[in-house]
Structure formats: structure tokens, C-alpha cells
Amino acid sequence: MLRLMVLTPISSSITASTVVLMSSSLLQKMPKRKTDKSYVLDKKKHLARLNINEGGKVLLKRGEGKLEKQYRMNCMGCGLFVCYRSEEDLEYATFIYVVDGALSTVAAETNPQDAPVPPCISQLEGGLVQVAIEVEDRQQRSAITRVNADDVRVAVAAPAARGEANNELLEFMGKVLGLRLSQMTLQRGWNNKSKLLVVEDLSARQVYEKLLEAVQP
């Protein structure tokens, strides 16, 4: 079971149209911006599910005459301005800034199948699944340390340089996913930490659920 934080507008009850985002971290524990006290949600560290309508671009004047671009996002249910980002394209936004006081948080127990499969795990043609992996090398043990939107973090003992970590990675992923070495192919990243793994005989959902079960922060 996952413990997700369901964030809705302060004045709303929880319905499908008023759930703005779901995060694996408590809102109140996130860092805050000094300028407007908004909470900073790091998409690389927290699995976030966003349900918003675009609210348009706003230019704000900050200290020393600096201009700040905000691409605002509104609640789909009530239209309230609840969060913003700095990048125009939501897909490439690293941070989501949640307006202080706009949302309330409810902790909810949910099954992994209720959470969306992150972009780092993608279904390919022919029944193949591609997994973007970021290796954390020279660690004490092999482990899945985090599943983010951008990648799956995997700790290995061997150094990533010169491909020394590849065998350890493949053997470990085989155990986690219940696959043989012949069912997995390292498609990219033989000599660096960023790798693409392609697996057979599992769906993207199955891969995601197995990885979540194996996470050891």
C-alpha cells in the first residue's frame, strides 16, 4: 500500500474534479519559497498526479526590478488558482509551486494500481516495456531507492564507469521483476549512470508495481 497526500482546494470536498494533485510527501514538509511562501514540490523526488486547467501566463515584478514568469494552474472543479510553474511546458517543469493556503491535505491509503504509471516506464510495441534508470553506484547494496517521474533510481555496489555495474544491475533487476537475463536488454547507457532497460513479458503497469514493492529508501 502507498500513502499518498491528496490535495484539494480548502473550500472543497474531495471529488474527482477537485483533487488537484497527489504526492508521496506531506505538503507541510515541503520547502517554501522566500518570495511568496509557496510550497515547492520537486517532481523528481515526489510522484505527483496533477489534475489542473491552465490559467495562463502572468509576469510579476520581484525585488531589484526582476521579472518572474508564472504559468498558473487552476483547479478543474472550482477554477481556483492553486499552483504555478516557471516553465511553459508542464512536461519539462522540475518544480510545481503550490500557493500557500490554497490547498488542504488528506492522507489516503491507495493501492499501486490506483496511481498513474510514471513516464519513466513506457509501453513499447511488441509487448516490450522500456524503463529509464539512473544508477547510484558504489553503494553498500543493490536496491531500488526511488521511483520518480523521470527515472527509477537503482543503487549498485559496482562503479558505473566502464560498464562494471551492468551485470550487477541486470541480475538485480531480474530478481525484482522476476525475469531471466534473456528477457532483459540494456539498450542504452552501458558506460554511464543513465540507462535504458527494455524488458519482455510484462506490462508497464506490472513493472511499475513490482518496482514500487521493492523500493527501499
Side-chain angles (χ1 to χ4, degrees):
M1 300 287 282
L2 293 172
R3 187 167 180 80
L4 293 179
M5 301 303 139
V6 179
L7 285 84
T8 67
I10 287 289
S11 59
S12 301
S13 58
I14 299 178
T15 66
S17 63
T18 60
V19 173
V20 174
L21 67 85
M22 299 176 74
S23 169
S24 59
S25 179
L26 190 65
L27 180 66
Q28 287 74 16
K29 291 186 177 181
M30 295 178 188
K32 300 182 77 171
R33 290 192 71 191
K34 292 182 179 180
T35 52
D36 59 7
K37 306 301 181 184
S38 60
Y39 293 97
V40 183
L41 170 63
D42 188 333
K43 288 171 59 182
K44 291 185 177 181
K45 293 182 178 180
H46 308 290
L47 175 65
R49 182 173 185 173
L50 273 175
N51 296 314
I52 52 88
N53 286 326
E54 295 292 346
K57 181 176 74 173
V58 174
L59 283 176
L60 297 177
K61 185 175 289 187
R62 296 299 190 190
E64 301 179 355
K66 294 181 179 180
L67 290 177
E68 176 184 306
K69 289 182 182 179
Q70 288 186 2
Y71 294 92
R72 295 189 168 185
M73 295 171 277
N74 302 333
C75 171
M76 294 178 67
C78 65
L80 179 69
F81 164 47
V82 290
C83 53
Y84 62 91
R85 62 187 186 274
S86 299
E87 294 81 2
E88 183 174 5
D89 192 331
L90 178 58
E91 181 180 354
Y92 298 109
T94 302
F95 301 105
I96 299 295
Y97 302 97
V98 181
V99 177
D100 186 25
L103 299 177
S104 60
T105 305
V106 177
E109 298 291 346
T110 181
N111 290 313
Q113 56 264 32
D114 294 331
V117 176
C120 65
I121 303 170
S122 54
Q123 192 78 47
L124 305 179
E125 293 182 1
L128 302 177
V129 175
Q130 179 177 278
V131 184
I133 293 175
E134 188 71 18
V135 167
E136 299 170 343
D137 63 347
R138 303 177 189 274
Q139 303 299 308
Q140 293 182 344
R141 57 187 172 84
S142 298
I144 307 293
T145 60
R146 203 160 62 205
V147 179
N148 305 317
D150 298 325
D151 53 52
V152 176
R153 300 294 176 93
V154 183
V156 295
R162 299 184 302 278
E164 295 180 35
N166 293 331
N167 287 339
E168 180 184 347
L169 174 66
L170 288 170
E171 290 177 5
F172 174 67
M173 293 299 289
K175 292 178 182 178
V176 170
L177 300 175
L179 297 175
R180 300 183 301 275
L181 291 178
S182 60
Q183 295 172 289
M184 299 180 296
T185 304
L186 197 57
Q187 193 175 64
R188 195 178 73 193
W190 282 94
N191 298 314
N192 55 52
K193 294 183 178 181
S194 298
K195 303 177 184 292
L196 279 181
L197 178 69
V198 175
V199 303
E200 304 174 6
D201 302 324
L202 290 174
S203 67
R205 169 65 59 185
Q206 289 172 319
V207 170
Y208 177 45
E209 292 179 7
K210 288 177 180 288
L211 291 173
L212 283 180
E213 291 174 1
V215 169
Q216 298 179 28

